[in-house]
Amino acid sequence: MYCKNCGKEMNDNQAICLECGYKAGDGDKHCANCGSQLAPNAAVCLNCGVATKKMADGGNLNGKDKITIALLCFFLGGFGVHNFVMGETKRGIVRIVASLCCGLGCILALIDFIKILLDKYEYDPEKLI
Ligand SMILES: [Zn+2]
Ligand SMILES: [Zn+2]
């Protein structure tokens, strides 16, 4: 993986680029796959052919159907069912614990639900909330 802002090679586990401080995946000047410089607004890296922008218009449900995930989130979101379906085990467990403690899981699920509807939800198996 390469920093998309400055093109420096990054460890896959790195959260930010040590060279420029950008978050992993942020920036649009370099290809994350090969590190070569990109033309402004290029959709595909001309060097390696990898798509440089996230597919779809924002939001990432790990390839799952938006309607299905939205319904699961609405009805069962307090128990993190939509998170488990997408493969976000950690987030799902946090939802369950939060629900059992004080019903907070339902609030988190409601936030997820709105994000899913607005295509703002970002699938991330490492995130807790
Ligand atoms: Zn950088
Ligand atoms: Zn490339």
Side-chain angles (χ1 to χ4, degrees):
M1 179 169 82
Y2 292 82
C3 172
K4 290 172 81 175
N5 182 55
C6 69
K8 191 178 164 61
E9 189 166 8
M10 290 169 71
N11 187 307
D12 279 349
N13 300 320
Q14 253 174 271
I16 62 162
C17 171
L18 299 177
E19 189 76 14
C20 66
Y22 265 59
K23 265 198 302 182
D26 271 10
D28 55 8
K29 296 190 190 73
H30 291 265
C31 172
N33 184 54
C34 69
S36 74
Q37 205 159 1
L38 295 172
N41 293 321
V44 172
C45 171
L46 297 178
N47 187 48
C48 68
V50 162
T52 59
K53 296 206 162 71
K54 263 186 222 153
M55 286 305 163
D57 42 354
N60 180 356
L61 304 176
N62 196 21
K64 298 290 187 281
D65 181 58
K66 179 178 163 183
I67 304 297
T68 309
I69 296 297
L71 287 175
L72 283 173
C73 178
F74 188 77
F75 290 107
L76 300 165
F79 298 103
V81 173
H82 60 297
N83 299 110
F84 288 117
V85 169
M86 283 187 281
E88 297 177 309
T89 312
K90 290 180 189 171
R91 265 180 171 169
I93 291 169
V94 168
R95 297 291 189 281
I96 292 176
V97 173
S99 283
L100 292 180
C101 286
C102 40
L104 272 179
C106 294
I107 296 171
L108 294 174
L110 186 64
I111 295 169
D112 285 353
F113 181 66
I114 293 167
K115 283 186 181 171
I116 291 167
L117 289 188
L118 297 177
D119 289 327
K120 297 277 190 232
Y121 193 91
E122 291 285 344
Y123 161 78
D124 186 346
E126 295 305 317
K127 271 200 185 143
L128 295 179
I129 297 194

